[in-house]
Amino acid sequence: MTWEEGTSPAPGHQRVTPSRENRRGDLFDPACPTRQLLDRIGGKWTSMAVKVLGDEHPGEVRFAELQRRMPGISKKMLAQTLRQLERDSLVARRIEPTSPPRVHYSLTELGVSLTGPMAALRDWAEVNMPRIDEAGAAWDR
C-alpha cells in the first residue's frame, strides 16, 4: 500500500513513498501523464483516426479509406498522424506486398482501450457544447 504525499502512516507502519506508477499527475508539470496524453491525442486528426479505426475493430482500414472517411485531411497529415499513433503503439500497420503495396491500419489492444474514454469525451462534448457556445456568445455581447 502507498501513502499520499504529506500523510502519516498508522502507528507502527513505515512511510511508503508513492512509486511513479501510483502517483497522480500534476497538470502543471510538463511530465504529467495526462498532459502528455492530451498533447498526443488531443488533435482532431488523431481522434478521428482512432474513431474510424475503432469503428472497424477488429478489422483493418486502408490508407485511402482512412483519408476518405476523414474529410479535410491531407495525405501528408494522415501519414504523420498514423506514424505518431504507430510510434505510440496505438495503431498497427500491415503492408501487403503487392504492386503498389497496400497498407492496412488497425488499432492495437492499447489503442482499443482508448476508444472508451474518447467516446465519453465525445458524448460530453455533444451534450455540453451548445451550453458552452451560448455562454461564449453571451460573454461576447
Side-chain angles (χ1 to χ4, degrees):
M1 175 174 206
T2 62
W3 300 95
E4 295 293 323
E5 293 278 335
T7 63
S8 298
H13 293 89
Q14 79 184 113
R15 177 182 294 278
V16 177
T17 304
S19 67
R20 179 180 174 147
E21 296 82 28
N22 294 328
R23 274 194 301 233
R24 297 291 306 207
D26 174 2
L27 286 174
F28 299 100
D29 178 357
C32 172
T34 302
R35 202 167 148 178
Q36 291 175 349
L37 179 68
L38 289 174
D39 286 345
R40 287 196 171 115
I41 66 157
K44 66 181 176 184
W45 301 125
T46 299
S47 58
M48 280 188 207
V50 170
K51 170 77 168 106
V52 170
L53 292 169
D55 287 349
E56 295 302 318
H57 181 73
E60 299 174 317
V61 181
R62 291 189 50 200
F63 186 93
E65 179 62 18
L66 275 166
Q67 189 175 22
R68 272 192 291 283
R69 292 174 60 183
M70 296 171 62
I73 194 168
S74 67
K75 286 181 181 179
K76 179 182 177 183
M77 183 55 66
L78 179 55
Q80 288 175 351
T81 300
L82 291 168
R83 199 170 12 257
Q84 183 63 46
L85 288 167
E86 187 179 7
R87 178 187 177 273
D88 291 339
S89 295
L90 298 170
V91 164
R93 178 176 62 155
R94 182 178 67 83
I95 301 171
E96 202 174 311
T98 58
S99 185
R102 292 183 182 151
V103 183
H104 305 263
Y105 294 90
S106 60
L107 289 181
T108 62
E109 185 178 325
L110 185 60
V112 170
S113 74
L114 181 59
T115 61
M118 288 185 82
L121 185 58
R122 277 193 315 277
D123 291 344
W124 186 91
E126 290 170 7
V127 168
N128 291 289
M129 276 311 297
R131 292 174 52 199
I132 292 170
D133 288 341
E134 289 170 15
W139 176 269
D140 293 342
R141 285 192 284 266

